Amino acid sequence: MAAHGKDSNKESTGAPAPRAADRVRNVALVGRAGAGKTTLAEALVVATGALTRAGRVEDGTTCLDTEEVEVRQQHSVSLHAATVEHAGHRITLLDTPGAPDFVGELRAALRAADAALFVVSAVAGVDAGTVHLWDECAAVGKPRAVVVTQVDRPRADVPAVVRSCQELLGAGVHPLQLLAPGEDGTPGRLVSLLEPQPPHPQGDELRAELIEAVIAESEDESLMDRYLAGEPIPVPDLVADLETAVARGSFHPVLCLAPLSGLGVRELLDLVVSGFPSPLERPCPPVVRPDGKPAGVVGCDPAGPLVAEVVKTTTDPYLGRVSLVRVFSGTLRPDIPVHVSGHGLAERGHPDHDADERVGALSSPLGSTLRPIPECPAGDVCTVARLTTAETGDTLSSPDQPLVVPPWELPDPQLPVAVEAASRSDEDRLAGAIARLVAEDPAVRVERRADTGQLLLWCVGDAHAEVLLDRLRTRYGVAVETPRVRVPLVETLAGPATVTARHVKQSGGHGQYAVAVVEARPMPPGSGITFDQRVVGGAVPSQFHGSVEKGIRAQAARGLENDRPLVDVHFTLVDGKAHSVDSSDAAFQTAGALAVREAAATAGTQVLEPWCAVEVTVPTDLVGPVLSDLAGRRARVTGSEAAPDRDEATVFAEVPEWELLDYARVLRSVSHGSGRFSRRPLRHEPAPASVVADLQPA
């Protein structure tokens, strides 16, 4: 497979050779948008010699941000990987998007990584989104470190940002370096606190705190005894304990870095090699059999059973489908048969898979450049070409021993976007393009609503929706339009009515004769259409009772005016007439339908709109703004609940579906990106006249 990419002038080198798992490091770069993750990754790639020169985000020339939308917007919207080599170790950097809409990509990277490197701008500092991501990593015990980047920018305040990291990210956060200013006030050099007697006014104090924290978190009692006895602690001993503390997820070193000038880049690479855990030190995800039964524990053993997971799927114009894969157990080799097991996301429009296919060529990723490798052993990450059925989240295993890794937690998409093809030719291609979007992005949910006929893409937020639509138009060449999302209205009777429906026609030969006397009364919300009969004396023969019911249900489903279905009405057949020759099933069905229309004309109707039960979770100090916003959406708040172990609260409310169409973007604004919500259909309730006029299709 020939290496290819958007900027071949960078002269990428060959792929690093496969390594034993103890010499492998898989690191996810995590942080807010604009913190400099991609720029940092580019600097690390160049420092290892994988590229001869660095690209720039502003110019759209980085090796990682390769999608057209990323070049145009100048920030990442997808997970990208680059595998490099440093000090005899194979390092895979997983660059993640910073926008909250793409948290699904972040969680995929965390599944593939053994540690997370939080990138914090020395100018912008720590935001609520970074704290939330930190808590997510803490919940799963993911080892974490912090790198304060952009330290050479104007208005950079490294000491203040380090203090905010310690305050906001919690215990275990300790600086590993100090930034000594240059003669002109610019960043001069880095002072390592691991070295004895660092030449800095606060050096002795901070070094003592660092040593005590490293020894305490690594639980090295012998080293603690030596330290308390006043014995000098060699740097190699400290580094060994630091690696143990980081691997346990309880100690989080902070480094400083200026990627454009190269300051601190080499030190960060050294820390990744010496202080970050290898795949051998991290447990593999739980594994089950395709029927859901436990399959035992698998370890990071290249000779063990094959367990690999697709963490990212992309479509390459030359290679077709390309899968980024993390191998947890066994060894993946080109041209071997594998079993593809699905991920249990059928409710999102992602079908489960249960198929065998053959692995294509294996490559080591460097953004869009793929460098061939002979195999991918346990603990490593690679790309696989032409896995035709595998999608993001699927598991690859041996056909003789199929296994499944349950998927990572995905965000619940709550922003609906209606899409339709702009032309007949686009309509033919739309279904295939949607299927490829679904294969790449398990965070999107696809729904064809039977009540409105609209095709909906359920997205995490506006940025997610924009990227999906951009991919449809640019990557797959499908012109689409986005009409307003329709909220279906229904009707019920405004009161009871008793009507006589007569369907009598005679035009020579057999005629049509059916008379049905029907009582109708409205029922409580959620009752649906119900039917019974109290006919006495055989006025309507029993074989036609079901015909009347069938006609009633068909007319109720079709609706009366404006195609609004009729709901929550009980119909009772009480009397009628039949003809021995001219009565038939079809005639009494017609009479049943006529009874519905006449009951509506007699009693009048009431238009109903759908309501949802909603749960909104936000930081405690934002409950007030959330309640104020819900009040403006005609919501009824039914309660709230504070989280016992987090500074969060959940508000429970009932809200009209119409008021929720834009709630995903509004909540993002109200909660500064830290809020989330879920909903479920509840019932229909009377709609105000203003809402009916607004929702009525043109």
Side-chain angles (χ1 to χ4, degrees):
M1 181 192 310
H4 68 284
K6 62 172 184 169
D7 191 354
S8 59
N9 293 329
K10 291 182 180 180
E11 299 180 4
S12 61
T13 61
R19 299 282 183 175
D22 64 336
R23 287 182 168 267
V24 171
R25 301 291 186 269
N26 300 308
V27 183
L29 304 184
V30 178
R32 63 183 291 174
K37 298 183 298 298
T38 301
T39 300
L40 171 59
E42 191 84 1
L44 295 172
V45 169
V46 172
T48 60
L51 290 177
T52 57
R53 62 181 177 85
R56 288 168 46 88
V57 171
E58 296 82 358
D59 301 333
T61 55
T62 65
C63 72
L64 292 173
D65 281 353
T66 55
E67 286 196 60
E68 291 183 31
V69 64
E70 292 174 320
V71 173
R72 187 168 62 251
Q73 296 182 358
Q74 297 185 8
H75 63 76
S76 303
V77 300
S78 294
L79 164 63
H80 298 288
T83 300
V84 297
E85 187 169 20
H86 178 70
H89 288 67
R90 184 176 162 94
I91 304 172
T92 295
L93 304 169
L94 299 159
D95 184 25
T96 66
D101 282 12
F102 306 106
V103 67
E105 302 275 336
L106 165 70
R107 291 172 181 167
L110 293 178
R111 174 62 67 87
D114 300 302
L117 183 63
F118 276 73
V119 181
V120 178
S121 168
V123 178
V126 181
D127 67 338
T130 302
V131 176
H132 182 71
L133 296 178
W134 184 272
D135 292 341
E136 279 204 29
C137 291
V140 298
K142 185 70 66 177
R144 283 148 285 151
V146 179
V147 56
V148 178
T149 187
Q150 302 174 348
V151 300
D152 54 348
R153 294 275 187 92
R155 297 182 294 107
D157 190 343
V158 176
V161 170
V162 172
R163 286 194 300 270
S164 70
C165 287
Q166 293 177 308
E167 294 169 1
L168 298 175
L169 303 183
V173 177
H174 294 276
L176 211 60
Q177 302 165 329
L178 293 173
L179 186 63
E183 295 181 358
D184 56 354
T186 59
R189 58 190 178 85
L190 295 173
V191 178
S192 173
L193 293 175
L194 293 174
E195 301 290 341
Q197 297 179 345
H200 192 280
Q202 295 178 290
D204 290 338
E205 178 184 349
L206 292 175
R207 184 171 192 268
E209 292 178 2
L210 174 65
I211 292 175
E212 292 173 9
V214 169
I215 295 175
E217 298 299 343
S218 65
E219 299 181 2
D220 189 339
E221 295 183 2
S222 64
L223 195 61
M224 179 63 79
D225 292 339
R226 292 165 55 191
Y227 173 70
L228 293 177
E231 180 181 337
I233 306 298
V235 173
D237 292 352
L238 272 178
V239 170
D241 273 20
L242 184 147
E243 193 273 342
T244 301
V246 171
R248 289 180 173 177
S250 56
F251 179 83
H252 317 294
V254 182
L255 293 91
C256 301
L257 192 140
L260 296 180
S261 67
L263 178 70
V265 172
R266 183 68 56 176
E267 288 82 354
L268 176 57
L269 286 168
D270 291 340
L271 176 69
V272 168
V273 167
S274 62
F276 277 24
S278 74
L280 292 174
E281 299 167 87
R282 299 296 303 156
C284 293
V287 177
V288 299
R289 304 189 190 282
D291 60 5
K293 295 180 180 178
V297 178
V298 299
C300 184
D301 180 3
L306 179 63
V307 178
E309 188 174 26
V310 179
V311 294
K312 179 67 181 175
T313 305
T314 56
T315 302
D316 186 276
Y318 306 103
L319 302 176
R321 185 172 293 184
V322 177
S323 305
L324 182 67
V325 174
R326 164 70 192 259
V327 180
F328 293 106
S329 174
T331 300
L332 195 62
R333 296 184 175 89
D335 207 37
I336 65 169
V338 294
H339 184 80
V340 179
S341 299
H343 36 45
L345 298 174
E347 75 280 358
R348 289 176 177 252
H350 302 255
D352 283 347
H353 301 121
D354 188 15
D356 292 342
E357 60 176 302
R358 193 166 293 276
V359 173
L362 302 185
S363 302
S364 181
L366 186 63
S368 62
T369 300
L370 305 180
R371 302 160 297 173
I373 55 174
E375 63 181 17
C376 186
D380 216 336
V381 175
C382 70
T383 56
V384 183
R386 297 188 175 92
L387 284 177
T388 56
T389 60
E391 299 182 355
T392 301
D394 282 353
T395 304
L396 309 180
S397 58
S398 169
D400 300 327
Q401 190 179 354
L403 298 169
V404 180
V405 178
W408 53 87
E409 182 182 355
L410 291 164
D412 191 11
Q414 293 289 355
L415 179 66
V417 177
V419 295
E420 61 183 34
S423 66
R424 179 62 61 87
S425 61
D426 291 307
E427 189 173 321
D428 296 337
R429 297 194 302 270
L430 180 59
I434 292 290
R436 287 192 286 273
L437 278 184
V438 167
E440 295 177 5
D441 186 357
V444 64
R445 178 162 60 89
V446 180
E447 178 189 15
R448 173 71 75 174
R449 291 197 64 160
D451 45 16
T452 65
Q454 286 188 310
L455 177 64
L456 299 183
L457 297 181
W458 287 88
C459 309
V460 179
D462 281 328
H464 189 209
E466 182 181 350
V467 167
L468 292 175
L469 294 173
D470 187 274
R471 287 172 180 166
L472 283 176
R473 292 163 178 153
T474 60
R475 182 183 296 179
Y476 302 119
V478 180
V480 294
E481 297 175 349
T482 55
R484 187 177 71 165
V485 176
R486 291 180 55 194
V487 172
L489 300 176
V490 297
E491 292 182 272
T492 192
L493 293 185
T498 300
V499 297
T500 300
R502 298 176 56 85
H503 178 64
V504 179
K505 288 187 177 181
Q506 186 68 45
S507 57
H510 286 299
Q512 299 180 48
Y513 188 94
V515 179
V517 180
V518 176
E519 293 178 352
R521 67 179 188 276
M523 297 291 287
S527 300
I529 298 297
T530 56
F531 175 86
D532 67 1
Q533 60 83 25
R534 296 199 311 269
V535 177
V536 295
V540 177
S542 60
Q543 68 265 31
F544 296 134
H545 295 175
S547 304
V548 175
E549 179 182 5
K550 190 174 182 180
I552 287 173
R553 292 187 179 278
Q555 183 63 59
R558 285 194 299 270
L560 302 167
E561 295 181 12
N562 303 306
D563 297 324
R564 292 194 289 258
L566 191 71
V567 300
D568 302 334
V569 180
H570 181 76
F571 293 92
T572 303
L573 176 64
V574 296
D575 201 359
K577 294 181 181 179
H579 190 276
S580 59
V581 175
D582 292 342
S583 292
S584 64
D585 171 72
F588 273 97
Q589 283 192 47
T590 302
L594 182 60
V596 174
R597 297 195 295 270
E598 292 189 357
T602 301
T605 60
Q606 187 173 48
V607 180
L608 309 177
E609 63 176 329
W611 280 58
C612 296
V614 174
E615 298 182 10
V616 186
T617 302
V618 293
T620 305
D621 60 345
L622 295 177
V623 169
V626 167
L627 291 175
S628 296
D629 179 75
L630 288 174
R633 296 175 183 274
R634 300 185 286 134
R636 291 192 292 265
V637 176
T638 58
S640 63
E641 181 179 279
D645 56 345
R646 298 171 67 104
D647 185 25
E648 287 186 338
T650 299
V651 176
F652 303 93
E654 297 176 353
V655 189
E657 183 179 333
W658 165 246
E659 304 287 355
L660 292 174
L661 291 183
D662 66 341
Y663 192 60
R665 62 173 65 96
V666 171
L667 179 62
R668 178 73 49 79
S669 175
V670 170
S671 67
H672 314 298
S674 60
R676 58 193 183 275
F677 82 103
S678 62
R679 60 174 147 192
R680 58 179 175 82
L682 193 59
R683 58 180 172 268
H684 286 83
E685 295 192 14
S690 60
V691 172
V692 174
D694 202 16
L695 292 183
Q696 182 60 48

